[in-house]
Every structure is written in C-alpha cells, then in structure tokens.
Amino acid sequence: MSFDNAYQALTEDSSGDGRWAFGTGFADPLAGVDTRLPEGVDGQLLAQYCLMLADDALVTSQRLTEWVSWAPELEDEMALANIALDLLGQARMLLTRAGQADGTGRGEDELAYFRNEHQFRNVRLAEMPNGDFGHTVARILLFASWRLAVFARLRESRDPMLAAIAAKAVKELTYHREYAASWVIRLGDGTELSHQRVQRGLEELWPLVEELFTSHEVEQQLATSGVAVLPDSVREEFDQVLEQVLATATLQRPDLPALPGVAGKAGRDGVHTEHLGYLLAEMQSVARAYPGAKW
C-alpha cells in the first residue's frame, strides 16, 4: 500500500502486522550467518560479553546524538550523527546476539530500553557527559582506537556471529578513528585556544582509559576458548596510535592516575558514575512510557 505522506504511514495500519515503534523490524544485516553456539562455549558467558560490547556502543551513540543541532559546522554534525548511527547498528546486532546466546529470546529493544542502570556493562568512558568539541573528538579518538583494535581481532572469533559483526564494524571504526584523529591534530596544532581545549579534554578523560584495558573474568574465560579478545592484548597498538596522533598534534599524553572503581568494580560489573542514570532516563523514557507501542 502506498501513502501520500509519512504521517499517514505511521497512523494507518497497512498490513495488520504492526511494528514496535522503537527499533525492531528492520532488515537483518547478518541474515544467513550461523547462529548456533560454538561447541564448548557457555551461552550465558557469550551473552554477557556481547552485552559489554553492545553497551559500549549504545551509550556512546546516545552521547554523540546529543550533538545534533549543536555541532560547530553542519558537516561535523552529520559526521557525529553518522558515527552515532554506526555504533547504534553495532549495538543492535550485539544485543540480538546476546538474546540468542543466553536462550531467553530477549530482543534488542527489550535489552536497550528495559534494563536498569546496574544491568548495563559499558565502560565508564562511554557515559561521561559531553564537554566542548575538543573533548568530544578526544573521546572518540580514545574509544575508537581501543574498539578498533579489539574488533580487528574479533574477526577471528570462534563465534560466527561475533566474527561477522566485527568484520562489518572494523570498516566503520576505522573511519571513526580517522575522523577523530584528523580533528585532534587540527585542534592541537591550531590556535592556542583550540590546543588548550583538546588537551583539557584528554586530561579529563584520561583517568578512564585504564579501565579499557582491564580484563574482566568473562573476557578471560571466553578468550581461552577463542571467542573473546583480552583488552590488555591491544594496549600496545592503542599506545602506538595515540603516540603518533598526539605527537603530530603537539599534544602531551596525560600522566594521571586511573579513576578507581567501587570495591574494585567498575562499568563491566554494573558499577557506574552518576551520569549513566540520567542518560538512560532520557534514552528509555518513551519506550517505558508506552511499552509495546506499535505503529
């Protein structure tokens, strides 16, 4: 059935098969990939690992969407929005895999919108509030450099779904890193003010970097079976990228202590900063106000 305008398509039932309004119902980019669990792999552990990777992307995507209508140039507003959409796409596939792996059948929407703060497993770097543009491109550089190194190795994962997701994500993350690096260099080697701002952004975020390379017990167990990547194994690559970019940008690598967790626990354990609760309240508000809504 054709419609005269987009609003008619939203308000009139065309097939009797309404779709939930908040995400599910689009084409599956991984159609045809084997969804069976690899032999000897614990589905619960795999689901937890997928949630970690998904939540990193989902929360970072939400932060980047806050820049829409606020970026300094239209071109950069589109770039930030596209990076956010790439990460959202990665989150959707990983959330779907999590629901398959643990046998619950939970879909991406349920996992995104109906988990509470302590059930999210993202690193704390993802949830920190936006600062200025220099702060944002510094965060993207740190996040994308780390995630790209991890996902490049995940292409060899024994889980075919993870390997397929990683193969798709590597192309996107390569662009994210290049975009952020180009801006960090332009700002760092630009005016005195732009240099100060991106340097300040790095210093504000640096205490959260160590968490990126702290291996969680879920990662350790799955790494022994060839499914996961130990984050500390990519530290050298991350450091090399940062060294090259910061040197070109005439920026200093911060020398600051890591932000401690609570009783040794941090984002991977569901222990977050106060900022995540506010982010989720906004992100989940419509879905929770109209649970199961259809269009």
Side-chain angles (χ1 to χ4, degrees):
M1 179 183 294
S2 62
F3 298 101
D4 294 331
N5 57 66
Y7 299 105
Q8 186 180 1
L10 291 173
T11 56
E12 295 189 13
D13 183 7
S14 60
S15 65
D17 182 22
R19 294 176 177 174
W20 195 34
F22 308 116
T24 302
F26 300 98
D28 181 5
L30 299 178
V33 178
D34 189 358
T35 62
R36 292 174 296 181
L37 292 178
E39 185 177 354
V41 173
D42 186 321
Q44 296 294 326
L45 287 177
L46 178 57
Q48 291 179 53
Y49 185 54
C50 289
L51 285 179
M52 293 175 180
L53 300 175
D55 291 345
D56 292 337
L58 180 62
V59 173
T60 302
S61 174
Q62 179 70 14
R63 278 293 181 225
L64 289 176
T65 59
E66 295 173 359
W67 270 100
V68 174
S69 81
W70 287 95
E73 298 286 347
L74 180 59
E75 180 180 356
D76 292 297
E77 183 165 306
M78 294 297 295
L80 293 173
N82 282 326
I83 292 172
L85 286 172
D86 287 342
L87 292 172
L88 181 61
Q90 294 172 25
R92 293 185 59 197
M93 292 184 287
L94 288 161
L95 290 173
T96 297
R97 184 52 171 163
Q100 295 169 344
D102 66 11
T104 63
R106 292 180 296 174
E108 61 192 71
D109 295 306
E110 181 179 350
L111 289 168
Y113 295 120
F114 295 99
R115 280 183 298 148
N116 297 320
E117 178 182 348
H118 70 277
Q119 295 173 308
F120 273 71
R121 295 293 181 262
N122 58 279
V123 292
R124 293 173 295 172
L125 176 68
E127 67 203 40
M128 300 305 288
N130 292 325
D132 57 26
F133 186 69
H135 181 281
T136 289
V137 293
R139 192 216 307 251
I140 297 173
L141 177 64
L142 297 172
F143 181 81
S145 297
W146 164 68
R147 191 172 176 88
L148 176 57
V150 171
F151 273 61
R153 289 159 176 77
L154 277 177
R155 291 178 295 183
E156 304 301 322
S157 173
R158 282 187 58 232
D159 179 49
M161 287 291 287
L162 265 182
I165 293 168
K168 181 179 184 300
V170 159
K171 300 174 184 178
E172 299 167 342
L173 293 166
T174 299
Y175 164 71
H176 302 174
R177 188 181 70 177
E178 291 177 353
Y179 172 81
S182 67
W183 263 113
V184 167
I185 291 170
R186 289 173 66 184
L187 296 175
D189 196 32
T191 67
E192 181 180 354
L193 177 60
S194 69
H195 178 96
Q196 290 174 351
R197 287 192 171 186
V198 72
Q199 182 70 51
R200 183 172 64 240
L202 285 168
E203 291 171 356
E204 290 173 351
L205 296 166
W206 199 258
L208 297 158
V209 167
E210 189 62 33
E211 182 183 352
L212 306 181
F213 304 100
T214 302
S215 296
H216 190 272
E217 60 181 353
V218 169
E219 295 167 315
Q220 294 169 1
Q221 292 184 58
L222 287 177
T224 61
S225 58
V227 171
V229 172
L230 290 175
D232 56 0
S233 69
V234 306
R235 185 63 191 258
E236 183 177 357
E237 179 178 338
F238 174 89
D239 287 340
Q240 289 174 350
V241 170
L242 265 290
E243 180 180 358
Q244 181 179 359
V245 173
L246 297 185
T248 306
T250 68
L251 294 164
Q252 297 297 313
R253 179 187 175 114
D255 183 17
L256 297 166
L259 180 69
V262 177
K265 297 184 181 297
R268 291 294 192 234
D269 304 293
V271 178
H272 299 280
T273 68
E274 67 273 19
H275 306 296
L276 182 62
Y278 294 104
L279 180 148
L280 294 179
E282 181 174 1
M283 187 184 81
Q284 298 176 334
S285 60
V286 177
R288 290 188 177 229
Y290 303 98
K294 303 284 184 178
W295 60 268

